[in-house]
Amino acid sequence: MDKSLALNLYATMFRIRTFEEEVKRQFEDGNIPGFIHLGSGQEAVSAGACAAINHDDYIGSTHRGHANLIAKGGRTDKMMAELFARETGSCKGRGGCLHITEMGVGSLGANGIVAAGIIVANGAALSAKLQHNNKVVLTFFGDGATNQGKFHEAMNLASLWSLPNIFICENNLYGEATPLAQHMKLKDIAVRAKAYDMPGVVVDGQDVLAVYEAVSTAVKRARDGKGPTLIEAKTYRFHGHHIGDPETYRTKEEVEEWMEKRDPIKLFKEKLIKEFKVKNTEIDPIEAKILKEIEAAVTFASGSPTPDPASLTRDVYV
Amino acid sequence: MDKSLALNLYATMFRIRTFEEEVKRQFEDGNIPGFIHLGSGQEAVSAGACAAINHDDYIGSTHRGHANLIAKGGRTDKMMAELFARETGSCKGRGGCLHITEMGVGSLGANGIVAAGIIVANGAALSAKLQHNNKVVLTFFGDGATNQGKFHEAMNLASLWSLPNIFICENNLYGEATPLAQHMKLKDIAVRAKAYDMPGVVVDGQDVLAVYEAVSTAVKRARDGKGPTLIEAKTYRFHGHHIGDPETYRTKEEVEEWMEKRDPIKLFKEKLIKEFKVKNTEIDPIEAKILKEIEAAVTFASGSPTPDPASLTRDVYV
Amino acid sequence: MAENRLMTGKDAIREALIEEMRRDKTVFLLGEDLEQATFGVTDGLIDEFGAERVRNSPISENAIIGASIGAALTGMRPVAEIMFADFLMDAMDPIVNTMAKARFMTGGQAKVPMVIRTPSGAGLSAGAQHSQSPEALFMHIPGIKIAVPSTPYDMKGLLKTSIRMDDPVLFFEHKMLYYEGGEVPDGEYTLPFGKADVKRQGKDVTIIAVLAMVKKAMMAADMLAGEGIEAEVIDPRTLNPLDMETIINSLKKTKKLITVEEGARTGGIGAEIAARVAEDALDYLDAPIKRLGGVDCPIPFSPVLEEVMYPTEDSIAAAVKQLLG
Amino acid sequence: MAENRLMTGKDAIREALIEEMRRDKTVFLLGEDLEQATFGVTDGLIDEFGAERVRNSPISENAIIGASIGAALTGMRPVAEIMFADFLMDAMDPIVNTMAKARFMTGGQAKVPMVIRTPSGAGLSAGAQHSQSPEALFMHIPGIKIAVPSTPYDMKGLLKTSIRMDDPVLFFEHKMLYYEGGEVPDGEYTLPFGKADVKRQGKDVTIIAVLAMVKKAMMAADMLAGEGIEAEVIDPRTLNPLDMETIINSLKKTKKLITVEEGARTGGIGAEIAARVAEDALDYLDAPIKRLGGVDCPIPFSPVLEEVMYPTEDSIAAAVKQLLG
Ligand SMILES: Cc1ncc(C[n+]2csc(CCOP(=O)(O)OP(=O)(O)O)c2C)c(N)n1
Ligand SMILES: Cc1ncc(C[n+]2csc(CCOP(=O)(O)OP(=O)(O)O)c2C)c(N)n1
Ligand SMILES: [Mg+2]
Ligand SMILES: [Mg+2]
């Protein structure tokens, strides 16, 4: 991998983290309504995966979708404005965290119903196939989502029809307040690929390069017409299920250990310096620029108008 | 296996076949309304499986449920009356083929929605667990049903909660007009058990002893509290999906070959004679008795009254 | 003027599919057993359009609807078949929570030009899970257009419009209408949504009926005509949008309203129509509204019970006479 | 007489669960995240009743409802929680096609004594997929009893009845009512299905409201009282059975009807009530019926948009004045 791609991966992760932590602050300050699901800790999955596809490829996303969308190229100012419920937001304030979407960069929509985005993503992959345009789809979902019937139906259909869909399970060990062992017996969700005669791969979701490699392989396979792959990225969310989660289901120690030893941004920064010979002076301006970008996003969002109540029913039908 | 059990297995299969062929005749004579799904050819699965459980255990069933219910001890006179849509039927003429049920012998109901019986069966297994009564459940379903989300959710829950549920897939190679290869990529559906860390077993569904053995093992496992098993019985339906099916999706030769070489009743009769040293004179009276029973069932059914229109809404609520 | 041909409902639908698939390469079909279809609608289409565009699907209603949504979001015009309307319940989540809302939730970024075709209705002794008429449920879900054609002509014209529409459409095909004949013109035509059809003019009572009940209402109107009662029979043809203007105009004349549907009476189509009339046109009524519909009961297998579940030409005519007192 | 305690809706529901689980060993709970529940209703119950009877479930709504049906068929009384009423759509097939019909399809062999508890309603900026009020949909499905309590007292009394009932019950808990306080008596009581509660007597207009709208209707009635208008506020408390007798008796007096609900207006609860009145009590009306309800629109995330979606005390009072005016 060349250095500039590596720096891009770093920038994406840093952008996600900065965005998410800012969202948390803004929520706690009362500027953001609703339920907010943050992706801090899981940045390497989105960053590594989306770096392996093109701008005109698609992603399917979930309630925990900020990271997916930023990695795909979503504009953080519009995203912040969306969370602030403003007319300038990606979804004009109609969607919010659960439905954050920027279709222009290839997002098919964050879906607030667990596993509902997975079946939709198949359809975009089907379009690619019918239109012979060689596009692929990355479908993100959680460990908990793989117990949903929709996951199963989507996996079977994608395999059967050789759809160019890469299924990326962000296994962060919990579905809301339920630990993995309380929602399935398997340790490795990738095993579920066998049920569809599909390749299943486990990857370290805190290692952005590992994710990038695994997804690149799957993307090549998909573009070659060989069909889908299930990739299980082992990861962890640093915050609660949503902001305000009492987190009775896990220990502080567990969280701290992940934050200290398995922070994908820290780990990759070390690698950049050690293996890619990147200097801190190269990283600093990247970080500074992103910090500014997110600051500007907040300014944009908080300065934007709320939707006009008279426009309520504008987008129910075409 | 002792001879009397073997003769019972034979009798059950012969009863199912006789019932089904009589139903076909009665339907073609215009005495039975609706859609009828016959189980001829698949008798060994129901007979072998139900012989491995007790009278007070449960079965869950499907649109192709006559065989399952007969094997569990359902009364053929009430069943025939049900298909004739009579007040004396198992379901008082309200259910018909798709919903044929006799709860008194442990049937949880035939369910006309593909895979819907599977999730319900789990609940009976859960009752057994909560009531500590050591009962088990056999859940029958087809190959096509395993592509339904409900199958997946049920398998995961049963495995996770170690429910005493034995999942019996009657893989008859087609779901309605769709051959297996057009609805999934797998050859062996039993592989799907791996996705739930559950044992998965393939068995010859035309060999009633093989089915009996496989189910007995699974039942022991379930009664020992070790949880569910997926058993895939390779089988074949001799008739169309429903009576009247044009069967454009398979060749006459294929059907004839199965009927000649893989008829579970013929095969077992040979075995009875060769290996169990049963004489024809022992079999003949069994067959004669069953032929009479089914004849009497038709007499009972055709002589029974149709439901009173005034009773239409009687059983909507308790 | 185009010549008329006598055609069954099944063939009218089939012709609409063929014409639209020829016209627009983005139109494709998916659903279970399309090659040997339960009611035969799509039989043989694979020969002309190939397996890419006539996609036999596993028994996975969620995956079928989900794939349709995704394809619609990305430039295609899928026409999904759900084999029986009862099985819509199996895909209720993607229908209600994604298909109907995708455009709104994205602030207008998305459009979802897809059609779900599905046979509803009883009459085949198919029992409680294969005979339902769930049309009314979807009136309560903003974001879904709903077609309920009652003749081969309406079926073809409305299906072509549905396929070209940029909003998602639920298209109900009553099983018994597949085999009924009717006149269909040669050549291209489409029918608009939101425009009721006055199937018969009359001055004494307004009967609103949908799907298979239109024919029963027409038969009742014939019977009544013999007794000097002139019933106006209106078929809304689409439930969303619902053409209240035509209904209220009729009421101005007749002052009496009967609604007739096959789905369960409670919470049905008639409830909504009656409520709108009670809100917006109460003064035109000079008698109570009468709603006829399926009995509030699961649908029995037994033909003798199934028969008493639904309005008939006799019960419609009797209701009119009772109303006219 | 028992003393009254001030209690939130959440605690009233919780108390009903605890009492019924203590009383009857066949009662058990299943659902997602019951140990740390989204709205906290079931928190800590596992300590008293153990993991066997408080069953944290995977995100498998079909499996949860299916298991409940099967357990109910075989001697248990499951109380399933669906985390948000929006997710009922995920289990619509077992609810509509099995739970509601099992008894009928088996000719009365089966009974299905189960409860599905689920929070509905908006107010938390939770967007289109976490704020819906789908109560009315289920009125159209014969075979399901439906409870829609509006106070802690009603919640507790109706939930206890629901758990003891031999028919399946859909029990809606409005999210905003979890945190509202109300008086609940010490000691055992239950409330009947099919018996509306006249929350306030009045002679000038009848307002029918459910769930969170009852409070808004009461506030509107207070405002109107200041202007000399006496509104009668009726809470049906259950939608199936629906107590039309109380409603029609009120109409005999007031001659004016307003219905208020949070779910989409079209095809809503008000439609059914209005239709029944237009059928059976038209003569008592001396003004058009007025239906207030959620706008026919997916629910927006934006608080300023969400606010204009629903009836308020002001809009209810304004509607009354328009009607009387
Ligand atoms: C069908 C459905 N059931 C339940 C929920 C409530 N819910 C939202 S997120 C969530 C947990 C999802 O877990 P997972 O898939 O592992 O994703 P994560 O939150 O860990 O990213 C649940 C139960 C929902 N949104 N949709
Ligand atoms: C949810 C649902 N989808 C579709 C159908 C229509 N249908 C009835 S049986 C059947 C095929 C079932 O195949 P399989 O599970 O293999 O059982 P088999 O008929 O072969 O015994 C189909 C598609 C249905 N009843 N329910
Ligand atoms: Mg998770
Ligand atoms: Mg099969």
Side-chain angles (χ1 to χ4, degrees):
Chain A
M1 166 169 310
D2 71 2
K3 203 169 105 176
S4 80
L5 176 52
L7 284 173
N8 272 341
L9 289 174
Y10 183 78
T12 301
M13 291 199 288
F14 191 82
R15 178 175 292 108
I16 295 170
R17 176 71 54 88
T18 308
F19 183 84
E20 294 295 63
E21 298 303 317
E22 186 60 38
V23 167
K24 186 158 182 288
R25 256 188 307 277
Q26 294 296 331
F27 182 90
E28 284 161 356
D29 285 354
N31 297 325
I32 291 177
F35 290 94
I36 302 293
H37 307 87
L38 299 172
S40 296
Q42 305 185 192
E43 296 87 349
V45 186
S46 291
C50 290
I53 60 170
N54 301 330
H55 184 75
D56 64 355
D57 290 324
Y58 295 108
I59 61 162
S61 182
T62 71
H63 60 285
R64 198 176 303 291
H66 308 170
N68 306 151
L69 182 53
I70 291 176
K72 188 65 176 67
R75 280 180 51 177
T76 50
D77 52 353
K78 290 171 136 200
M79 290 176 67
M80 191 65 80
E82 184 60 28
L83 299 180
F84 273 62
R86 304 303 165 103
E87 183 67 28
T88 55
S90 335
C91 305
K92 304 207 170 95
R94 272 71 174 168
C97 170
L98 282 163
H99 311 299
I100 201 156
T101 299
E102 193 177 335
M103 296 197 77
V105 300
S107 167
L108 298 165
N111 203 311
I113 303 292
V114 167
I118 310 179
I119 53 174
V120 173
N122 262 349
L126 179 55
S127 276
K129 202 173 158 157
L130 292 170
Q131 295 167 5
H132 303 287
N133 61 17
N134 219 24
K135 290 189 191 181
V136 299
V137 183
L138 303 185
T139 312
F140 295 94
F141 51 88
D143 47 296
T146 69
N147 297 321
Q148 259 282 341
K150 297 189 188 84
F151 164 78
H152 175 70
E153 295 191 8
M155 291 282 285
N156 184 61
L157 196 77
S159 168
L160 183 69
W161 289 357
S162 292
L163 300 180
N165 193 357
I166 293 100
F167 294 89
I168 302 179
C169 177
E170 305 194 51
N171 179 359
N172 61 10
L173 309 181
Y174 296 89
E176 206 150 332
T178 301
L180 191 74
Q182 261 191 53
H183 70 66
M184 66 171 69
K185 258 194 163 171
L186 289 176
K187 304 263 169 318
D188 289 333
I189 295 174
V191 169
R192 295 200 156 164
K194 289 196 211 302
Y196 317 98
D197 200 15
M198 189 195 291
V201 180
V202 176
V203 68
D204 178 356
Q206 306 309 87
D207 178 348
V208 70
L209 295 183
V211 173
Y212 174 78
E213 291 307 331
V215 175
S216 297
T217 304
V219 166
K220 181 168 178 343
R221 193 183 140 84
R223 293 209 209 273
D224 288 349
K226 294 186 186 143
T229 302
L230 172 62
I231 295 175
E232 176 192 3
K234 307 273 194 191
T235 185
Y236 198 77
R237 60 169 154 73
F238 285 179
H239 299 302
H241 172 68
H242 55 75
I243 308 180
D245 178 356
E247 295 184 62
T248 57
Y249 49 85
R250 62 182 188 180
T251 62
K252 267 219 168 74
E253 291 70 43
E254 182 184 294
V255 180
E256 274 162 16
E257 184 161 337
W258 276 87
M259 283 179 147
E260 271 163 38
K261 302 198 186 136
R262 310 284 303 133
D263 182 333
I265 300 182
K266 266 197 225 164
L267 291 173
F268 193 55
K269 193 167 187 174
E270 283 163 20
K271 195 172 263 182
L272 278 179
I273 292 169
K274 267 206 205 131
E275 293 177 24
F276 287 82
K277 311 294 171 202
V278 172
K279 299 201 191 67
N280 267 320
T281 50
E282 292 174 273
I283 296 175
D284 291 346
I286 294 176
E287 294 187 351
K289 204 176 140 211
I290 290 169
L291 290 168
K292 267 221 171 109
E293 172 190 325
I294 302 303
E295 212 180 295
V298 171
T299 309
F300 174 73
S302 57
S304 289
T306 57
D308 175 2
S311 69
L312 174 63
T313 59
R314 185 180 55 200
D315 287 318
V316 183
Y317 303 100
V318 173
Chain B
M1 168 168 306
D2 72 2
K3 201 170 107 177
S4 80
L5 176 53
L7 284 173
N8 271 341
L9 288 174
Y10 182 78
T12 301
M13 291 199 289
F14 191 82
R15 178 176 290 108
I16 296 170
R17 176 70 54 90
T18 309
F19 183 85
E20 294 294 63
E21 297 304 317
E22 186 60 38
V23 167
K24 186 158 183 288
R25 254 187 309 275
Q26 295 296 332
F27 181 90
E28 285 161 357
D29 285 354
N31 297 325
I32 291 178
F35 291 94
I36 303 293
H37 307 86
L38 299 173
S40 296
Q42 306 185 192
E43 295 88 348
V45 186
S46 291
C50 290
I53 60 170
N54 301 330
H55 184 75
D56 64 355
D57 291 322
Y58 296 107
I59 60 161
S61 181
T62 71
H63 59 284
R64 197 175 305 290
H66 308 171
N68 306 152
L69 182 53
I70 292 176
K72 187 66 177 66
R75 280 180 52 177
T76 51
D77 53 353
K78 290 172 136 200
M79 290 176 67
M80 191 63 81
E82 183 60 30
L83 298 180
F84 273 62
R86 302 303 164 101
E87 183 68 27
T88 55
S90 335
C91 305
K92 304 207 171 94
R94 272 71 175 168
C97 170
L98 283 163
H99 311 298
I100 200 156
T101 300
E102 194 177 334
M103 296 196 77
V105 300
S107 167
L108 298 165
N111 204 312
I113 302 292
V114 167
I118 310 179
I119 51 174
V120 173
N122 261 349
L126 179 55
S127 277
K129 202 175 158 153
L130 292 170
Q131 295 168 5
H132 303 287
N133 59 18
N134 218 23
K135 291 188 191 181
V136 300
V137 183
L138 303 185
T139 312
F140 295 95
F141 51 88
D143 47 296
T146 69
N147 297 319
Q148 259 282 340
K150 296 188 189 84
F151 164 79
H152 175 70
E153 295 190 8
M155 291 283 286
N156 184 61
L157 196 76
S159 168
L160 182 70
W161 289 357
S162 293
L163 299 180
N165 193 357
I166 292 99
F167 294 89
I168 302 179
C169 178
E170 304 193 52
N171 179 358
N172 60 12
L173 309 181
Y174 297 88
E176 206 150 332
T178 302
L180 191 73
Q182 262 191 52
H183 70 67
M184 68 171 69
K185 259 194 163 172
L186 289 177
K187 304 263 171 317
D188 289 333
I189 295 174
V191 168
R192 295 201 156 164
K194 288 195 212 302
Y196 317 98
D197 200 16
M198 189 195 290
V201 180
V202 175
V203 68
D204 178 355
Q206 306 310 86
D207 178 348
V208 69
L209 294 183
V211 173
Y212 174 77
E213 291 306 331
V215 175
S216 296
T217 305
V219 166
K220 181 169 178 341
R221 195 183 139 84
R223 292 208 208 274
D224 287 349
K226 294 187 184 143
T229 302
L230 171 62
I231 295 174
E232 175 190 4
K234 309 272 194 191
T235 186
Y236 197 77
R237 59 168 156 74
F238 285 178
H239 299 302
H241 172 67
H242 54 76
I243 307 180
D245 178 356
E247 297 184 59
T248 57
Y249 49 85
R250 61 182 189 181
T251 62
K252 268 220 169 73
E253 292 70 42
E254 181 184 295
V255 180
E256 275 162 16
E257 185 162 336
W258 276 88
M259 283 179 148
E260 271 162 39
K261 302 198 187 137
R262 310 284 302 131
D263 181 333
I265 301 182
K266 266 196 225 163
L267 291 173
F268 192 56
K269 194 168 186 173
E270 283 163 20
K271 195 172 266 182
L272 278 179
I273 292 169
K274 265 204 209 134
E275 294 176 23
F276 287 82
K277 312 295 173 200
V278 172
K279 299 200 189 69
N280 268 320
T281 50
E282 292 173 273
I283 296 175
D284 291 346
I286 294 175
E287 294 187 350
K289 204 177 141 210
I290 290 169
L291 289 168
K292 267 222 171 108
E293 172 190 326
I294 303 303
E295 212 180 295
V298 171
T299 309
F300 174 75
S302 57
S304 289
T306 57
D308 175 3
S311 70
L312 174 64
T313 59
R314 185 181 54 202
D315 287 319
V316 184
Y317 303 100
V318 174
Chain C
M1 219 197 84
E3 235 177 295
N4 277 356
R5 295 159 298 151
L6 198 66
M7 194 178 273
T8 62
K10 174 169 91 70
D11 288 337
I13 289 166
R14 184 189 175 71
E15 197 168 89
L17 291 174
I18 292 172
E19 287 180 13
E20 293 306 299
M21 288 180 82
R22 285 187 187 149
R23 200 184 55 81
D24 182 349
K25 293 276 168 278
T26 68
V27 179
F28 71 99
L29 314 183
L30 67 175
E32 293 156 24
D33 298 302
L34 295 183
E35 283 183 67
Q36 184 198 300
T38 306
F39 298 102
V41 175
T42 52
D43 287 0
L45 294 192
I46 200 167
D47 300 333
E48 176 171 353
F49 300 105
E52 282 285 289
R53 291 179 72 197
V54 179
R55 306 189 71 90
N56 239 18
S57 311
I59 310 174
S60 306
E61 282 78 8
N62 276 289
I64 290 168
I65 299 303
S68 302
I69 298 168
L73 288 172
T74 52
M76 304 301 288
R77 291 190 175 273
V79 180
E81 175 176 307
I82 295 295
M83 194 193 278
F84 284 76
D86 313 71
F87 314 157
L88 289 171
M89 298 302 109
D90 278 281
M92 202 67 172
D93 169 64
I95 292 173
V96 168
N97 285 327
T98 303
M99 183 185 87
K101 299 176 175 35
R103 180 169 182 77
F104 184 86
M105 294 191 301
T106 60
Q109 293 175 82
K111 60 179 191 188
V112 190
M114 64 181 275
V115 180
I116 303 175
R117 293 180 39 243
T118 190
S120 63
L124 297 172
S125 304
Q129 296 177 332
H130 288 70
S131 309
Q132 292 169 88
S133 295
E135 298 83 12
L137 287 182
F138 300 92
M139 297 175 74
H140 193 53
I141 310 296
I144 306 176
K145 300 270 175 80
I146 308 168
V148 284
S150 69
T151 67
Y153 174 77
D154 292 355
M155 283 172 168
K156 183 175 174 190
L158 286 170
L159 183 53
K160 286 171 67 88
T161 303
S162 301
I163 292 172
R164 297 179 194 188
M165 191 170 283
D166 279 342
D167 292 314
V169 176
L170 247 174
F171 191 91
F172 287 96
E173 303 170 359
H174 194 287
K175 296 178 192 86
M176 305 310 286
L177 298 178
Y178 280 138
Y179 310 108
E180 299 263 339
E183 302 224 315
V184 174
D186 251 346
E188 173 77 13
Y189 72 98
T190 59
L191 290 173
F193 272 52
K195 190 78 210 75
D197 188 32
V198 181
K199 298 276 183 207
R200 176 189 181 116
Q201 303 231 346
K203 60 172 183 24
D204 297 324
V205 61
T206 301
I207 306 178
I208 315 291
V210 294
L211 293 162
M213 288 297 143
V214 174
K215 193 182 167 200
K216 304 230 183 274
M218 293 296 277
M219 289 162 71
D222 278 344
M223 290 164 55
L224 291 165
E227 306 181 36
I229 299 169
E230 292 302 329
E232 181 144 306
V233 179
I234 297 179
D235 175 356
R237 288 205 293 214
T238 63
L239 298 178
N240 183 13
L242 180 61
D243 178 5
M244 284 307 294
E245 200 183 317
T246 299
I247 294 172
I248 290 176
N249 280 338
S250 173
L251 275 184
K252 286 183 191 164
K253 178 170 60 175
T254 66
K255 310 215 179 310
K256 285 175 196 65
L257 178 65
I258 296 194
T259 64
V260 194
E261 67 199 292
E262 194 175 309
R265 216 178 81 101
T266 297
I269 300 164
E272 180 60 26
I273 293 173
R276 291 202 198 176
V277 166
E279 286 189 305
D280 302 329
L282 190 73
D283 288 349
Y284 302 129
L285 288 180
D286 71 5
I289 293 172
K290 189 105 199 149
R291 282 187 297 163
L292 303 183
V295 175
D296 287 315
C297 178
I299 297 158
F301 160 63
S302 150
V304 303
L305 294 180
E306 197 182 17
E307 233 182 80
V308 296
M309 282 284 295
Y310 303 110
T312 60
E313 50 274 34
D314 291 326
S315 71
I316 299 169
V320 167
K321 284 193 269 180
Q322 193 201 326
L323 212 57
L324 295 180
Chain D
M1 215 196 88
E3 238 179 294
N4 278 355
R5 296 159 297 152
L6 198 67
M7 194 180 273
T8 63
K10 174 168 91 69
D11 288 336
I13 290 166
R14 183 190 175 71
E15 199 168 89
L17 292 174
I18 291 173
E19 287 180 12
E20 293 306 300
M21 288 179 81
R22 285 187 187 150
R23 200 185 55 81
D24 182 350
K25 293 275 168 284
T26 68
V27 178
F28 71 98
L29 314 183
L30 67 175
E32 293 156 24
D33 298 303
L34 294 184
E35 283 183 66
Q36 183 198 301
T38 306
F39 298 102
V41 176
T42 52
D43 288 0
L45 294 192
I46 200 167
D47 299 334
E48 176 171 352
F49 300 105
E52 281 286 287
R53 292 179 71 196
V54 180
R55 306 189 72 89
N56 239 17
S57 311
I59 310 174
S60 306
E61 281 79 9
N62 277 289
I64 291 168
I65 299 302
S68 302
I69 297 168
L73 287 173
T74 51
M76 304 299 289
R77 291 190 176 271
V79 181
E81 175 176 306
I82 294 295
M83 194 192 278
F84 285 76
D86 313 72
F87 314 157
L88 289 171
M89 300 302 110
D90 277 281
M92 202 67 172
D93 169 63
I95 292 172
V96 169
N97 285 326
T98 303
M99 184 184 88
K101 299 174 175 36
R103 181 168 182 78
F104 184 86
M105 294 190 302
T106 60
Q109 294 175 81
K111 60 180 190 187
V112 190
M114 62 180 277
V115 180
I116 304 175
R117 293 179 40 243
T118 190
S120 62
L124 297 172
S125 303
Q129 296 177 333
H130 288 71
S131 309
Q132 292 168 87
S133 295
E135 298 83 11
L137 286 182
F138 299 92
M139 297 175 74
H140 193 53
I141 310 296
I144 307 176
K145 301 270 174 80
I146 308 169
V148 285
S150 69
T151 66
Y153 174 77
D154 292 355
M155 284 171 169
K156 183 174 173 190
L158 286 170
L159 183 52
K160 286 171 67 86
T161 304
S162 301
I163 292 173
R164 297 179 194 187
M165 191 169 281
D166 279 341
D167 292 315
V169 177
L170 248 174
F171 191 91
F172 288 97
E173 303 170 0
H174 194 287
K175 295 179 191 85
M176 305 310 285
L177 298 177
Y178 280 138
Y179 310 108
E180 298 263 340
E183 302 223 316
V184 173
D186 252 346
E188 173 76 13
Y189 72 97
T190 59
L191 290 173
F193 272 53
K195 189 79 210 76
D197 188 32
V198 181
K199 297 277 184 207
R200 177 187 180 117
Q201 305 230 345
K203 60 173 183 23
D204 297 324
V205 61
T206 301
I207 306 179
I208 316 290
V210 294
L211 294 163
M213 287 298 143
V214 174
K215 194 182 167 199
K216 304 230 185 273
M218 293 297 277
M219 289 162 71
D222 279 344
M223 291 165 54
L224 291 164
E227 306 182 35
I229 299 168
E230 291 303 329
E232 181 143 306
V233 179
I234 297 179
D235 175 356
R237 289 205 292 213
T238 64
L239 299 178
N240 183 15
L242 180 62
D243 178 6
M244 284 308 293
E245 200 185 319
T246 299
I247 293 172
I248 289 177
N249 279 338
S250 174
L251 274 183
K252 286 182 190 165
K253 177 170 60 175
T254 66
K255 309 213 180 316
K256 285 175 195 66
L257 179 65
I258 296 194
T259 64
V260 195
E261 67 200 293
E262 193 175 308
R265 215 178 81 102
T266 298
I269 300 163
E272 179 60 27
I273 292 173
R276 291 202 198 176
V277 167
E279 287 188 305
D280 302 329
L282 190 74
D283 287 348
Y284 302 130
L285 287 180
D286 71 4
I289 293 173
K290 189 106 199 147
R291 281 186 298 162
L292 303 182
V295 175
D296 287 316
C297 178
I299 298 159
F301 161 62
S302 150
V304 303
L305 294 180
E306 197 182 18
E307 234 182 78
V308 296
M309 282 284 294
Y310 303 110
T312 60
E313 50 274 33
D314 291 326
S315 70
I316 298 168
V320 167
K321 283 194 269 182
Q322 194 200 324
L323 213 56
L324 295 180

